Each structure stands twice: as structure tokens, then as C-alpha cells.
Short mmCIF file of all heavy atoms in Angstrom, two decimals:
data_model
loop_
_atom_site.label_atom_id
_atom_site.label_comp_id
_atom_site.label_asym_id
_atom_site.label_seq_id
_atom_site.Cartn_x
_atom_site.Cartn_y
_atom_site.Cartn_z
N ARG A 17 -46.60 -27.38 -11.22
CA ARG A 17 -46.05 -27.48 -9.86
C ARG A 17 -46.39 -28.75 -9.14
O ARG A 17 -45.59 -29.46 -8.61
CB ARG A 17 -46.53 -26.37 -8.94
CG ARG A 17 -45.76 -25.10 -9.21
CD ARG A 17 -46.00 -24.02 -8.14
NE ARG A 17 -47.38 -23.81 -7.78
CZ ARG A 17 -48.27 -22.99 -8.35
NH1 ARG A 17 -47.82 -22.20 -9.35
NH2 ARG A 17 -49.52 -22.92 -8.01
N HIS A 18 -47.71 -29.04 -9.29
CA HIS A 18 -48.24 -30.27 -8.52
C HIS A 18 -47.83 -31.58 -9.04
O HIS A 18 -47.46 -32.46 -8.26
CB HIS A 18 -49.82 -30.16 -8.53
CG HIS A 18 -50.52 -31.04 -7.52
ND1 HIS A 18 -50.39 -31.00 -6.21
CD2 HIS A 18 -51.25 -32.12 -7.83
CE1 HIS A 18 -51.09 -31.93 -5.63
NE2 HIS A 18 -51.58 -32.64 -6.54
N PHE A 19 -47.74 -31.75 -10.37
CA PHE A 19 -47.33 -33.01 -11.01
C PHE A 19 -45.99 -32.99 -11.57
O PHE A 19 -45.52 -33.98 -12.11
CB PHE A 19 -48.40 -33.34 -12.08
CG PHE A 19 -49.76 -33.72 -11.47
CD1 PHE A 19 -50.86 -33.11 -11.89
CD2 PHE A 19 -49.89 -34.72 -10.50
CE1 PHE A 19 -52.06 -33.36 -11.48
CE2 PHE A 19 -51.16 -35.04 -10.05
CZ PHE A 19 -52.22 -34.39 -10.46
N GLY A 20 -45.34 -31.83 -11.65
CA GLY A 20 -44.01 -31.79 -12.24
C GLY A 20 -43.97 -32.00 -13.74
O GLY A 20 -43.10 -32.56 -14.28
N LEU A 21 -44.98 -31.53 -14.43
CA LEU A 21 -45.17 -31.76 -15.82
C LEU A 21 -44.65 -30.56 -16.67
O LEU A 21 -44.58 -29.40 -16.23
CB LEU A 21 -46.68 -31.95 -16.24
CG LEU A 21 -47.40 -33.11 -15.61
CD1 LEU A 21 -48.88 -32.96 -15.90
CD2 LEU A 21 -46.78 -34.37 -16.02
N ALA A 22 -44.15 -30.86 -17.85
CA ALA A 22 -43.71 -29.94 -18.78
C ALA A 22 -44.90 -29.20 -19.42
O ALA A 22 -46.01 -29.75 -19.41
CB ALA A 22 -42.81 -30.54 -19.90
N ALA A 23 -44.74 -28.12 -20.12
CA ALA A 23 -45.78 -27.33 -20.67
C ALA A 23 -46.56 -28.12 -21.66
O ALA A 23 -47.82 -28.07 -21.67
CB ALA A 23 -45.29 -26.03 -21.32
N ASP A 24 -45.93 -28.90 -22.56
CA ASP A 24 -46.68 -29.63 -23.59
C ASP A 24 -47.43 -30.80 -22.85
O ASP A 24 -48.56 -31.15 -23.39
CB ASP A 24 -45.73 -30.22 -24.61
CG ASP A 24 -44.60 -31.10 -24.11
OD1 ASP A 24 -44.15 -30.97 -22.95
OD2 ASP A 24 -44.18 -31.99 -24.87
N GLU A 25 -46.92 -31.38 -21.84
CA GLU A 25 -47.67 -32.43 -21.13
C GLU A 25 -48.90 -31.83 -20.44
O GLU A 25 -49.93 -32.51 -20.41
CB GLU A 25 -46.75 -32.99 -20.06
CG GLU A 25 -45.63 -33.89 -20.59
CD GLU A 25 -44.73 -34.41 -19.50
OE1 GLU A 25 -44.19 -33.57 -18.73
OE2 GLU A 25 -44.41 -35.56 -19.56
N VAL A 26 -48.80 -30.60 -19.89
CA VAL A 26 -49.92 -29.96 -19.31
C VAL A 26 -51.06 -29.64 -20.39
O VAL A 26 -52.18 -29.86 -20.14
CB VAL A 26 -49.51 -28.67 -18.60
CG1 VAL A 26 -50.66 -27.83 -18.18
CG2 VAL A 26 -48.65 -29.00 -17.38
N ARG A 27 -50.63 -29.22 -21.54
CA ARG A 27 -51.60 -29.00 -22.55
C ARG A 27 -52.33 -30.21 -22.95
O ARG A 27 -53.53 -30.24 -23.10
CB ARG A 27 -50.85 -28.39 -23.85
CG ARG A 27 -50.66 -26.93 -23.83
CD ARG A 27 -50.26 -26.42 -25.17
NE ARG A 27 -49.01 -27.05 -25.74
CZ ARG A 27 -47.87 -26.73 -25.42
NH1 ARG A 27 -47.54 -25.70 -24.58
NH2 ARG A 27 -46.77 -27.38 -25.89
N ASP A 28 -51.65 -31.34 -23.08
CA ASP A 28 -52.26 -32.65 -23.41
C ASP A 28 -53.20 -33.06 -22.20
O ASP A 28 -54.27 -33.53 -22.49
CB ASP A 28 -51.21 -33.76 -23.59
CG ASP A 28 -50.48 -33.53 -25.00
OD1 ASP A 28 -50.98 -32.85 -25.82
OD2 ASP A 28 -49.35 -34.15 -25.07
N LEU A 29 -52.68 -32.89 -20.96
CA LEU A 29 -53.51 -33.34 -19.84
C LEU A 29 -54.76 -32.42 -19.81
O LEU A 29 -55.87 -32.95 -19.50
CB LEU A 29 -52.72 -33.08 -18.55
CG LEU A 29 -53.43 -33.39 -17.22
CD1 LEU A 29 -54.02 -34.83 -17.20
CD2 LEU A 29 -52.50 -33.14 -16.04
N LEU A 30 -54.70 -31.16 -20.02
CA LEU A 30 -55.82 -30.29 -20.05
C LEU A 30 -56.88 -30.76 -21.07
O LEU A 30 -58.03 -30.78 -20.88
CB LEU A 30 -55.45 -28.81 -20.32
CG LEU A 30 -54.89 -28.19 -19.10
CD1 LEU A 30 -54.19 -26.78 -19.53
CD2 LEU A 30 -55.95 -27.83 -18.05
N GLU A 31 -56.39 -31.09 -22.33
CA GLU A 31 -57.27 -31.61 -23.34
C GLU A 31 -57.98 -32.83 -22.89
O GLU A 31 -59.22 -33.02 -23.11
CB GLU A 31 -56.50 -31.86 -24.65
CG GLU A 31 -56.13 -30.64 -25.43
CD GLU A 31 -55.47 -30.99 -26.76
OE1 GLU A 31 -55.86 -32.00 -27.45
OE2 GLU A 31 -54.53 -30.28 -27.13
N VAL A 32 -57.29 -33.83 -22.44
CA VAL A 32 -57.83 -35.08 -22.11
C VAL A 32 -58.79 -34.90 -20.94
O VAL A 32 -59.93 -35.46 -20.88
CB VAL A 32 -56.73 -36.12 -21.72
CG1 VAL A 32 -57.35 -37.33 -21.10
CG2 VAL A 32 -55.91 -36.49 -22.96
N ALA A 33 -58.37 -34.11 -19.89
CA ALA A 33 -59.33 -34.00 -18.75
C ALA A 33 -60.53 -33.12 -19.11
O ALA A 33 -61.60 -33.49 -18.59
CB ALA A 33 -58.51 -33.15 -17.59
N GLU A 34 -60.42 -32.19 -20.02
CA GLU A 34 -61.59 -31.46 -20.46
C GLU A 34 -62.57 -32.43 -21.15
O GLU A 34 -63.77 -32.40 -20.95
CB GLU A 34 -61.15 -30.29 -21.43
CG GLU A 34 -62.37 -29.47 -21.87
CD GLU A 34 -63.09 -28.77 -20.74
OE1 GLU A 34 -62.44 -28.27 -19.81
OE2 GLU A 34 -64.33 -28.75 -20.76
N GLU A 35 -62.06 -33.26 -22.03
CA GLU A 35 -62.83 -34.27 -22.75
C GLU A 35 -63.52 -35.18 -21.69
O GLU A 35 -64.75 -35.51 -21.85
CB GLU A 35 -62.11 -35.02 -23.76
CG GLU A 35 -62.94 -35.99 -24.56
CD GLU A 35 -62.12 -36.68 -25.70
OE1 GLU A 35 -60.97 -36.26 -25.93
OE2 GLU A 35 -62.67 -37.74 -26.20
N ALA A 36 -62.76 -35.62 -20.76
CA ALA A 36 -63.33 -36.56 -19.69
C ALA A 36 -64.40 -35.89 -18.88
O ALA A 36 -65.40 -36.49 -18.57
CB ALA A 36 -62.21 -37.07 -18.76
N ARG A 37 -64.13 -34.60 -18.58
CA ARG A 37 -65.19 -33.82 -17.78
C ARG A 37 -66.45 -33.65 -18.61
O ARG A 37 -67.54 -33.86 -18.05
CB ARG A 37 -64.50 -32.39 -17.56
CG ARG A 37 -65.41 -31.55 -16.62
CD ARG A 37 -64.94 -30.14 -16.63
NE ARG A 37 -65.17 -29.38 -17.84
CZ ARG A 37 -66.31 -28.90 -18.11
NH1 ARG A 37 -67.38 -28.91 -17.41
NH2 ARG A 37 -66.43 -28.27 -19.31
N ARG A 38 -66.35 -33.30 -19.85
CA ARG A 38 -67.48 -33.11 -20.66
C ARG A 38 -68.26 -34.40 -20.86
O ARG A 38 -69.58 -34.37 -20.87
CB ARG A 38 -67.11 -32.63 -22.03
CG ARG A 38 -66.98 -31.14 -22.10
CD ARG A 38 -66.90 -30.59 -23.57
NE ARG A 38 -66.05 -31.40 -24.39
CZ ARG A 38 -64.72 -31.21 -24.66
NH1 ARG A 38 -64.14 -30.20 -24.12
NH2 ARG A 38 -64.02 -31.94 -25.40
N ASP A 39 -67.55 -35.58 -20.95
CA ASP A 39 -68.24 -36.84 -21.20
C ASP A 39 -68.69 -37.51 -19.93
O ASP A 39 -69.36 -38.58 -19.92
CB ASP A 39 -67.27 -37.82 -21.91
CG ASP A 39 -66.98 -37.38 -23.31
OD1 ASP A 39 -67.58 -36.46 -23.86
OD2 ASP A 39 -65.95 -37.88 -23.88
N SER A 40 -68.33 -36.98 -18.72
CA SER A 40 -68.62 -37.64 -17.46
C SER A 40 -70.19 -37.58 -17.15
O SER A 40 -70.81 -36.61 -17.48
CB SER A 40 -67.87 -37.05 -16.37
OG SER A 40 -68.30 -35.66 -16.03
N VAL A 41 -70.66 -38.62 -16.57
CA VAL A 41 -72.06 -38.63 -16.10
C VAL A 41 -72.10 -37.91 -14.78
O VAL A 41 -73.10 -37.19 -14.52
CB VAL A 41 -72.45 -40.05 -15.92
CG1 VAL A 41 -73.87 -40.11 -15.35
CG2 VAL A 41 -72.41 -40.86 -17.25
N ASP A 42 -71.14 -38.06 -13.92
CA ASP A 42 -71.06 -37.29 -12.61
C ASP A 42 -69.65 -37.13 -12.22
O ASP A 42 -68.75 -37.71 -12.89
CB ASP A 42 -71.84 -38.04 -11.55
CG ASP A 42 -71.33 -39.38 -11.19
OD1 ASP A 42 -70.13 -39.65 -11.39
OD2 ASP A 42 -72.04 -40.24 -10.61
N LEU A 43 -69.39 -36.48 -11.22
CA LEU A 43 -68.05 -36.08 -10.75
C LEU A 43 -67.43 -37.15 -9.78
O LEU A 43 -66.30 -37.01 -9.49
CB LEU A 43 -67.99 -34.69 -10.23
CG LEU A 43 -68.44 -33.62 -11.12
CD1 LEU A 43 -68.62 -32.28 -10.51
CD2 LEU A 43 -67.47 -33.54 -12.31
N HIS A 44 -68.32 -37.98 -9.29
CA HIS A 44 -67.90 -38.99 -8.37
C HIS A 44 -66.78 -39.88 -8.95
O HIS A 44 -65.82 -40.27 -8.27
CB HIS A 44 -69.00 -39.90 -7.86
CG HIS A 44 -68.61 -40.97 -6.98
ND1 HIS A 44 -68.21 -40.67 -5.69
CD2 HIS A 44 -68.57 -42.28 -7.11
CE1 HIS A 44 -67.84 -41.81 -5.09
NE2 HIS A 44 -68.09 -42.81 -5.89
N GLN A 45 -66.83 -40.08 -10.27
CA GLN A 45 -65.76 -40.87 -10.94
C GLN A 45 -64.32 -40.21 -10.81
O GLN A 45 -63.40 -40.89 -10.64
CB GLN A 45 -66.11 -41.12 -12.39
CG GLN A 45 -66.06 -39.86 -13.22
CD GLN A 45 -66.48 -40.17 -14.68
OE1 GLN A 45 -66.46 -41.27 -15.11
NE2 GLN A 45 -66.89 -39.10 -15.37
N PHE A 46 -64.33 -38.89 -10.75
CA PHE A 46 -63.06 -38.28 -10.52
C PHE A 46 -62.68 -38.19 -8.99
O PHE A 46 -61.56 -38.42 -8.63
CB PHE A 46 -63.16 -36.85 -11.04
CG PHE A 46 -63.45 -36.83 -12.53
CD1 PHE A 46 -64.53 -36.12 -12.99
CD2 PHE A 46 -62.65 -37.57 -13.45
CE1 PHE A 46 -64.91 -36.12 -14.36
CE2 PHE A 46 -63.04 -37.54 -14.79
CZ PHE A 46 -64.17 -36.89 -15.23
N THR A 47 -63.66 -37.86 -8.13
CA THR A 47 -63.39 -37.64 -6.73
C THR A 47 -63.02 -39.02 -6.13
O THR A 47 -62.09 -39.05 -5.27
CB THR A 47 -64.52 -37.06 -5.88
OG1 THR A 47 -65.73 -37.78 -6.15
CG2 THR A 47 -64.67 -35.61 -6.34
N SER A 48 -63.48 -40.12 -6.61
CA SER A 48 -63.23 -41.44 -6.09
C SER A 48 -61.78 -41.79 -6.40
O SER A 48 -61.13 -42.48 -5.52
CB SER A 48 -64.23 -42.49 -6.58
OG SER A 48 -64.12 -42.67 -7.99
N VAL A 49 -61.30 -41.44 -7.63
CA VAL A 49 -59.93 -41.81 -7.97
C VAL A 49 -59.02 -40.99 -7.06
O VAL A 49 -58.02 -41.51 -6.54
CB VAL A 49 -59.67 -41.44 -9.47
CG1 VAL A 49 -58.21 -41.52 -9.76
CG2 VAL A 49 -60.41 -42.37 -10.36
N VAL A 50 -59.27 -39.70 -6.90
CA VAL A 50 -58.42 -38.90 -6.02
C VAL A 50 -58.48 -39.37 -4.58
O VAL A 50 -57.43 -39.53 -3.98
CB VAL A 50 -58.87 -37.41 -6.08
CG1 VAL A 50 -58.14 -36.57 -4.98
CG2 VAL A 50 -58.62 -36.83 -7.50
N ALA A 51 -59.69 -39.71 -4.04
CA ALA A 51 -59.72 -40.11 -2.67
C ALA A 51 -59.02 -41.38 -2.46
O ALA A 51 -58.43 -41.62 -1.36
CB ALA A 51 -61.26 -40.26 -2.30
#
């Protein structure tokens, strides 16, 4: 709903975001992009 992505795009996004989350040192790198 939020990004208007297809199901396969969401699966890919979830994989990449999960890897980025696991590899992150802190969450500021994500909140700063959003802000």
C-alpha cells in the first residue's frame, strides 16, 4: 500500500532490508534517510 509495490518487489525489498538491518551498526542510518 505505502510504496505501491508488487508482491515480488516486496519480497525482494524485505530481503534487502532485513540484510541491511542485520548489518547495521545503529538505526540512525535508517531514520536519517526517512527524516
Side-chain angles (χ1 to χ4, degrees):
R17 281 191 315 269
H18 192 66
F19 292 123
L21 299 175
D24 59 331
E25 292 174 309
V26 169
R27 277 191 304 276
D28 289 342
L29 177 57
L30 283 166
E31 281 183 40
V32 172
E34 182 62 40
E35 185 177 343
R37 183 192 74 81
R38 277 193 315 266
D39 294 345
S40 69
V41 175
D42 65 22
L43 299 171
H44 179 70
Q45 65 184 342
F46 303 123
T47 57
S48 65
V49 170
V50 171

